[in-house]
Amino acid sequence: MFFGKIPVRDFLNKIKTGNCEVCPEIGEDDAFIRSEGNYLVIHSDPITEAGKDAGFLSITVACNDVNMKGVPCKWVLTTVLLTKRENLDVIIDGINEACNLIGCSVVGGHTEVTRGLQQDIVVTTAFSFSDKIMKLSDGKVGDYIGVFGFAGIEGTWILANEFENELAKRGVKHEIIERAKKLKYSIPVQEKALKAKDDVIAMHDATEGGIYQALLEVAKATRKKVFIFRDPPILQETLEITKALNINPYTLISSGAFIVITRNPQKIEELGGTIIGKIVEGEDVLEVKGDKVYKEDFEEELVKFESNYYGWRKRD
């Protein structure tokens, strides 16, 4: 078994590069990018839970975070840690597919086979430039809370791909699983975010902990109560899969959905969003339909399910 850094000459011609003054090439340790604005927007994320299509997901979720600042994702750096060298081409295919879909380019990174990994890990740093700052803490009492996309999209897609046989055993219909396996193209949010950016105060994507965690983080950032008077939208595929696995869809990882703070609720709904709540006076908590109040961070449902399924911890 080969371990260690993979020579860049072995795969450089396979990666979508470009849009840089000095781009990835042998002997160059840094990219040069001409500035297009006043602020650098940058985010980094690892993919550790998705065995399939980790390359696609890594680019997408990192770019989604950049999109939350109202700008397109322009460039990415990718660190690929492999269990075996033979997996590289599949990951590169996923990276290229996501880059082509989003319109970004790889400008650097690192690739190696790493000892001791149970599955491949892809870490992506995504960045762009902006001429203004958007932040959640600018939300005020009276502002509306909206959501674009559906709760649990990413988690539903991962579960359908990684646990297809288990879902079938638990009675989930084949057509539901197949529809869920195609949800990966609902995970990129750039198009929706760029359409909404001029009508929002801030945006925040729903990742670990799902929609509820994202809403709670809005409360923490604004130091006010977030009151939800309507359930966030959810797909039938997610409802059936999470019910079969005894998972809360609203605390399931939800890349593909994002929260907006707005003072123009009608416009948000015209753009395809759903108004689900408001920022109100009170302690920095999430209150759902006057029934439940949440203050502590939510445990990620995908990690909890996988941990129980694989025996990584004792069942509750």
Side-chain angles (χ1 to χ4, degrees):
M1 170 70 76
F2 169 88
F3 291 100
K5 184 176 179 179
I6 297 176
V8 68
R9 63 178 177 271
D10 290 356
F11 62 88
L12 182 59
N13 64 342
K14 299 178 181 179
I15 294 177
K16 182 185 184 299
T17 62
N19 199 19
C20 38
E21 300 301 309
V22 176
C23 294
E25 59 183 279
I26 295 172
E28 292 294 348
D29 293 327
D30 299 273
F32 278 74
I33 297 167
R34 191 178 299 277
S35 175
E36 294 185 358
N38 298 320
Y39 305 103
L40 175 66
V41 179
I42 187 167
H43 176 80
S44 187
D45 241 337
I47 294 300
T48 59
E49 298 296 329
K52 295 182 180 179
D53 238 331
F56 179 92
L57 193 58
S58 180
I59 299 296
T60 300
V61 298
C63 286
N64 281 358
D65 276 287
V66 167
N67 298 151
M68 293 299 93
K69 301 308 178 184
V71 293
C73 184
K74 293 291 190 68
W75 305 280
V76 294
L77 299 166
T78 58
T79 296
V80 181
L81 306 178
L82 299 165
T83 56
K84 55 184 179 180
R85 185 168 178 163
E86 291 76 11
N87 292 354
L88 179 58
D89 282 350
V90 172
I91 289 177
I92 287 178
D93 287 346
I95 289 171
N96 288 339
E97 183 181 21
C99 284
N100 287 326
L101 186 65
I102 293 167
C104 59
S105 301
V106 177
V107 296
H110 178 86
T111 304
E112 69 171 58
V113 179
T114 306
R115 292 181 184 272
L117 292 184
Q118 293 183 333
Q119 62 185 29
D120 302 324
I121 293 175
V122 186
V123 183
T124 294
T125 300
F127 50 110
S128 188
F129 289 101
S130 177
D131 59 2
K132 66 177 182 178
I133 293 176
M134 296 176 66
K135 58 186 190 296
L136 291 178
S137 57
D138 286 338
K140 306 295 183 185
V141 170
D143 290 346
Y144 288 86
I145 301 293
V147 61
F148 283 84
F150 300 90
I153 287 180
E154 180 185 357
T156 303
W157 173 62
I158 292 173
L159 289 166
N161 280 281
E162 300 291 330
F163 299 98
E164 180 176 0
N165 292 336
E166 181 66 22
L167 290 169
K169 281 195 286 186
R170 298 194 186 199
V172 180
K173 295 179 180 179
H174 175 74
E175 55 266 32
I176 292 292
I177 297 172
E178 289 303 309
R179 292 211 310 259
K181 288 164 68 175
K182 298 176 182 177
L183 286 176
K184 83 173 191 178
Y185 297 111
S186 297
I187 296 174
V189 301
Q190 181 163 282
E191 183 178 356
K192 293 176 182 178
L194 295 184
K195 286 182 179 179
K197 67 182 179 66
D198 293 330
D199 295 288
V200 302
I201 307 303
M203 300 184 283
H204 184 43
D205 70 329
T207 53
E208 289 86 354
I211 291 283
Y212 277 6
Q213 179 65 29
L215 291 167
L216 180 61
E217 289 170 0
V218 172
K220 300 297 184 184
T222 59
R223 299 183 180 181
K224 299 295 180 182
K225 181 187 292 187
V226 169
F227 178 77
I228 300 306
F229 50 69
R230 179 184 302 161
D231 287 333
I234 189 168
L235 294 172
Q236 186 65 28
E237 296 92 316
T238 300
L239 282 173
E240 296 198 23
I241 285 174
T242 55
K243 182 179 180 181
L245 299 179
N246 194 28
I247 284 174
N248 183 346
Y250 297 118
T251 54
L252 176 63
I253 189 167
S254 295
S255 294
F258 62 96
I259 305 300
V260 300
I261 302 173
T262 184
R263 291 165 194 161
N264 193 351
Q266 182 177 348
K267 182 63 176 180
I268 292 302
E269 295 207 323
E270 289 174 0
L271 292 171
T274 303
I275 298 299
I276 62 171
K278 293 186 75 172
I279 298 174
V280 299
E281 286 287 0
E283 187 183 5
D284 54 349
V285 299
L286 169 64
E287 182 175 341
V288 179
K289 298 166 71 172
D291 181 35
K292 294 182 179 179
V293 175
Y294 302 98
K295 185 174 180 61
E296 301 300 325
D297 288 345
F298 294 92
E299 186 175 8
E300 169 52 49
E301 292 284 353
L302 180 63
V303 173
K304 183 167 64 174
F305 173 77
E306 288 182 330
S307 296
N308 287 330
Y309 186 85
Y310 292 119
W312 295 338
R313 68 180 182 184
K314 292 182 180 178
R315 295 179 183 272
D316 295 335

